[in-house]
Amino acid sequence: MRLHSQSFFLVRDPTSVQISRRRLQDLVKKWGLRLDEFSDTALTVVTSELVTNAVRHGTGTVLTITVSANLGRRRILVEVYDGSLVLPIPHWADSEGETKRGMALIDRLSLCHGAEHTTCGKCVWAEIAMPPQRVARRQLILHPRRAARAVARRLGAAHQPLTPIRAGRRAGHGRHSSTVPQ
């Protein structure tokens, strides 16, 4: 199970929304995560809404954003910390309203979300689904058993036992005879 995690600080200002999206995209690229269209959109919108809510309704001058990617669980967790003790309350916007849709969007686009008190205020968080990730070459070199399992899964033979390959009679010629029936 591979984990990536990083926190960064932003001034509680409307410009922080755009900065947080850009920082998040940089982290996804740095960590080598592969996102599909849905997960990329969900991550962008949810992050924007979490930071927007913290800017509008939070207190203090600084926001802390923590992003964690758990490749084993195929989830990205986004946490936004601010100094307010008031937890968000979901509102239902009317059809003409342009505000009060943030928590409804977060609810629709995330696997789960929540808010909790911290020692210095609150944390509002959401988990976003990621598509399966490719195995990097570096992982294959460092973990050959994982590489073999990944290849077996890729070939659809995860449930079939691997059969040994016997060397041919003439060593050094690179010939092998397989015990797998053709």
Side-chain angles (χ1 to χ4, degrees), residues 46-101:
V46 167
T47 300
S48 296
E49 292 300 330
L50 290 174
V51 174
T52 297
N53 286 346
V55 167
R56 285 189 180 160
H57 307 292
T59 60
T61 57
V62 176
L63 301 175
T64 303
I65 290 88
T66 300
V67 182
S68 305
N70 184 328
L71 277 64
R73 293 185 63 216
R74 295 187 356 217
R75 293 180 179 208
I76 297 177
L77 173 65
V78 179
E79 300 169 300
V80 179
Y81 296 84
D82 69 63
S84 174
L85 293 173
V86 180
L87 297 178
I89 301 169
H91 294 281
W92 298 104
D94 60 2
S95 60
E96 302 295 319
E98 292 184 22
T99 60
K100 299 185 179 179
R101 297 182 192 278

